[in-house]
Amino acid sequence: MLIKSIRCQVDEQKKGLFSEGQTQWEPLGHMKGFLGQIGGWCEKEPNTAWILAFWENQSFYQQFMEEEHDRIFLDSGQGKTYDAISVDFFDMKHQLQQLASVMETAEVLKAEVFNSTLRISRENSSEETILTANGINGHLESSLSDRFQVEEAWRVVRKD
């Protein structure tokens, strides 16, 4: 499974526009191989949005990038709402049940990157859900950790 981690630096004055643009990604739910997307504003860096998108594999993600990404991105106007973006990719194996739990019910997530490993934990229930994934690209930040309240309007679920 492929996880795409997207972090955007957004000026305080543009946070509303960014958030509105993020709600325009609903068409993802109909893309073949798409599993879900979730995100929110970081607690430590409140002008940083962290979005996590989950795909069955690299091939389905690449097909989306070639066929639909640019249309959704341009239609949303989101490109004009952030100052910087960083994108990293991770490979996650055999955690579909845990992913479903995170996608459907997470209210608060903690995401950490350490030594090219992504660890995502759901913190809003008595039962902690943890996902781990290994970095695919080589320019990952060596250490990164933050919590975010899930923005419900940014949640995109798979529509079969």
Side-chain angles (χ1 to χ4, degrees):
M1 178 182 333
L2 180 72
I3 301 175
K4 181 179 183 180
S5 169
I6 308 155
R7 291 177 46 91
C8 295
Q9 305 300 313
V10 182
D11 280 344
E12 184 67 34
Q13 303 86 341
K14 294 183 180 179
K15 284 176 77 170
L17 291 171
F18 180 90
S19 190
E20 176 60 31
Q22 194 58 38
T23 67
Q24 304 302 306
W25 290 89
E26 194 64 29
L28 278 173
H30 299 285
M31 297 300 303
K32 187 172 184 176
F34 175 75
L35 299 173
Q37 181 167 287
I38 199 164
W41 298 104
C42 294
E43 287 184 359
K44 290 180 188 171
E45 301 176 44
N47 288 348
T48 299
W50 199 338
I51 298 118
L52 299 167
F54 301 88
W55 292 86
E56 285 183 26
N57 59 46
Q58 177 74 32
S59 296
F60 286 131
Y61 169 73
Q62 198 58 47
Q63 182 179 354
F64 160 71
M65 290 301 291
E66 291 169 5
E67 297 175 4
E68 296 294 328
H69 176 273
D70 291 353
R71 181 187 58 77
I72 297 171
F73 180 73
L74 293 172
D75 288 351
S76 75
Q78 205 168 24
K80 300 174 185 159
T81 65
Y82 57 85
D83 297 323
I85 186 170
S86 63
V87 177
D88 294 301
F89 294 93
F90 299 86
D91 180 38
M92 185 174 81
K93 298 195 183 320
H94 313 298
Q95 297 179 57
L96 283 174
Q97 186 174 3
Q98 294 94 327
L99 173 62
S101 175
V102 167
M103 287 305 308
E104 295 168 9
T105 62
E107 294 173 13
V108 177
L109 289 181
K110 181 175 183 181
E112 303 170 277
V113 177
F114 184 72
N115 290 337
S116 296
T117 300
L118 173 67
R119 183 175 191 261
I120 304 165
S121 55
R122 181 181 65 154
E123 297 188 339
N124 59 303
S125 71
S126 57
E127 177 186 322
E128 186 177 39
T129 303
I130 299 173
L131 304 173
T132 58
N134 294 319
I136 295 174
N137 46 333
H139 69 280
L140 295 168
E141 295 186 46
S142 59
S143 181
L144 177 65
S145 176
D146 214 330
R147 294 175 76 237
F148 60 85
Q149 180 80 29
V150 173
E151 294 284 336
E152 191 59 39
W154 298 9
R155 189 186 313 253
V156 182
V157 295
R158 179 176 171 161
K159 311 228 183 351
D160 290 322

